[in-house]
């Protein structure tokens, strides 16, 4: 046993004395920094996506979504650029979905040029409001969360105003409220456009 330990210790000392060992020790923090910052740098370098929103509720949610997509502070990138839905106005949500499909799929360009990376349809639901959201990038849910949050906040303000809460009190509540993820309250059948990989449908908060 002592002989084996002596051999292991001798091999370890020989390895420690090599330049490669010390180079790996010195370069390890650099590698950690690079791998840590790489996703952030990639995100910052990506162009801001174009997002179209169609509202069938008549509650003016598109304007609220536009505010939610704006940068949180100067110097930050917006979540998305809100663009007019091409081909509108639409008769119903099904017609809007069928028309927006080729734009998000990338087979049709926007009238002014560029591509449509995501689309959302806000429509009345059984328990409030439902949102169908589609995006090319299934890993990025920032647009979906921003829309859900905007609709949730607008519904909350409307509910408080209906209960007699004044505009000044609403402003105070909004100032004191902390940002949070939208709570999903409504349930609706999920519908997806199977021909376009990466599409999904999500219910919107209906009672938040």
């Amino acid at each position: 046993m002592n002989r084996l330990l002596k051999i292991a210790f001798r091999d370890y000392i020989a390895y420690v004395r090599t330049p490669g060992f010390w180079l790996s020790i010195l370069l390890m923090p650099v590698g950690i920094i690079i791998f840590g910052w790489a996703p952030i740098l990639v995100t910052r370098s990506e162009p801001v996506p174009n997002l179209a929103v169609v509202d069938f509720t008549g509650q003016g949610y598109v304007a609220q979504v536009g505010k939610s997509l704006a940068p949180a502070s100067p110097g930050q990138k917006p979540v998305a650029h809100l663009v007019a839905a091409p081909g509108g106005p639409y008769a119903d949500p099904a017609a809007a979905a069928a028309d927006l499909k080729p734009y998000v799929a990338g087979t049709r360009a926007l009238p002014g040029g560029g591509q449509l990376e995501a689309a959302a349809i806000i429509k009345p639901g059984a328990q409030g409001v439902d949102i169908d959201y589609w995006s090319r990038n299934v890993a990025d849910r920032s647009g979906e969360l921003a829309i859900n949050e905007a609709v949730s906040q607008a519904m909350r303000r409307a509910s408080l105003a209906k209960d007699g809460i004044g505009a000044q009190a609403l402003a105070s509540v909004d100032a004191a409220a902390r940002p949070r993820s939208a709570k999903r309250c409504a349930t609706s059948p999920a519908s997806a456009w199977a021909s376009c990989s990466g599409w999904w449908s999500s219910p919107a908060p209906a009672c938040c």
Side-chain angles (χ1 to χ4, degrees), residues 123 130-132 186-191 201-204:
K123 58 186 180 181
D130 288 346
I131 298 176
D132 292 335
T187 56
S188 61
S191 59
S201 175
S202 62

Side-chain angles (χ1 to χ4, degrees), residues 42-145:
V42 170
T43 301
R44 290 182 177 179
S45 62
E46 290 180 349
V48 179
N50 292 321
L51 168 65
V53 179
V54 183
D55 182 12
F56 286 96
T57 66
Q59 301 300 318
Y61 289 133
V62 176
Q64 299 296 326
V65 170
K67 296 178 182 179
S68 182
L69 297 176
S73 60
Q76 289 187 350
K77 292 172 54 177
V79 176
H81 290 311
L82 186 62
V83 299
Y90 304 104
D92 51 49
D99 191 74
L100 290 173
K101 173 183 175 179
Y103 289 98
V104 181
T107 58
R108 186 184 302 175
L110 292 171
Q115 298 292 328
L116 187 65
E117 283 78 21
I121 298 177
I122 305 175
K123 58 186 180 181
Q127 302 179 26
V129 175
D130 288 346
I131 298 176
D132 292 335
Y133 180 83
W134 300 275
S135 174
R136 296 188 196 182
N137 187 1
V138 296
D140 183 10
R141 298 190 59 199
S142 57
E144 178 190 14
L145 295 177

Side-chain angles (χ1 to χ4, degrees), residues 17-43:
R17 290 177 178 177
T18 59
F21 173 79
W22 293 105
L23 283 176
S24 63
I25 294 296
L26 295 175
L27 293 178
M28 184 178 299
V30 178
I32 293 175
I33 294 174
I34 292 176
F35 282 109
W37 279 93
I40 299 176
L41 295 176
V42 170
T43 301

